[in-house]
Amino acid sequence: GQQVMQIPQYQHVQEGEDFTTYCNSSTTLSNIQWYKQRPGGHPVFLIQLVKSGEVKKQKRLTFQFGEAKKNSSLHITATQTTDVGTYFCAPSKGGGTSYGKLTFGQGTILTVHP
Amino acid sequence: NAGVTQTPKFQVLKTGQSMTLQCAQDMNHEYMSWYRQDPGMGLRLIHYSVGAGITDQGEVPNGYNVSRSTTEDFPLRLLSAAPSQTSVYFCASSFGQGKSGTEAFFGQGTRLTVV
């Protein structure tokens, strides 16, 4: 099954409102990636976080990796209709049995009302 | 560069038929994976490969076979299609995963319906 719990499953916002999705793991992660999938499209890589407490920004998107490397979040400030889609986290535990494996959270479906 | 190319884009099969979903990448990536996407289930890993000649099972491998004879190609075979295999299938490739993860590139997807 999935390594992480991603919440919420759905989020409806009014254009201009903020949005946050969370990815929570019961075990320590080596790194975590985030992907966006537009409706009818394929997943597209957004970012990878590696360091404890890391924060990265891409324009209106802010990504955080928790101090314990067990959780991560993606925050969008002032959503736009172009932000519509499903956001997936993809956690990695590192080597061993996880070597070469990329698995995904269940995703958060974001809809933005203009 | 074409990136990751999947064929076909759409397919309808009858129960019991077999078929192969093709996936090719031209980025010299070591890692390739197959996922299925169903409503509310996210992306579930079917099989993956860390290099030519090496494959392993993911979360939902039953009913699917793979092989990796070359770095470029990673076909997914359905031996006897079942309605439960109706889904959207994605192939992905990357330079690495695990401890040293790198960006995964996805194909456009294959929408498969089994009737």
Side-chain angles (χ1 to χ4, degrees), chain A residues 6-62:
Chain A
Q6 192 173 349
I7 54 172
Q9 191 173 359
Y10 302 95
Q11 185 75 58
H12 311 285
V13 300
Q14 204 70 27
E15 190 172 20
E17 291 181 338
D18 291 356
F19 159 76
T20 304
T21 175
Y22 300 90
C23 208
N24 299 314
S25 171
S26 58
T27 59
T28 302
L29 302 173
S30 175
N31 61 70
I32 192 163
Q33 299 176 1
W34 286 91
Y35 290 78
K36 176 184 178 181
Q37 183 180 23
R38 294 182 186 274
H42 59 280
V44 174
F45 177 84
L46 293 175
I47 209 158
Q48 177 170 273
L49 305 172
V50 179
K51 299 177 183 176
S52 168
E54 189 169 15
V55 178
K56 288 188 176 180
K57 292 190 176 184
Q58 292 178 350
K59 297 183 180 179
R60 294 178 295 104
L61 276 62
T62 302

Side-chain angles (χ1 to χ4, degrees), chain A residues 1-2 9 30-31 33 35 37 41-43 45 48 88 92 94-95 97-104 106, chain B residues 31 33 35 37 40-45 48 50 57 59 90 97-104 106-108:
Chain A
Q2 304 290 356
Q9 191 173 359
S30 175
N31 61 70
Q33 299 176 1
Y35 290 78
Q37 183 180 23
H42 59 280
F45 177 84
Q48 177 170 273
F88 293 99
S92 178
T97 57
S98 295
Y99 183 69
K101 239 184 225 185
L102 181 65
T103 57
F104 290 80
Q106 287 187 313
Chain B
Y31 296 80
S33 308
Y35 299 87
Q37 187 171 33
M41 301 295 290
L43 292 156
R44 292 186 291 171
L45 181 65
Y48 65 103
V50 300
Q57 296 181 349
E59 303 166 83
F90 288 101
Q97 291 304 338
K99 190 172 183 181
S100 303
T102 62
E103 172 182 0
F106 283 78
Q108 299 293 317

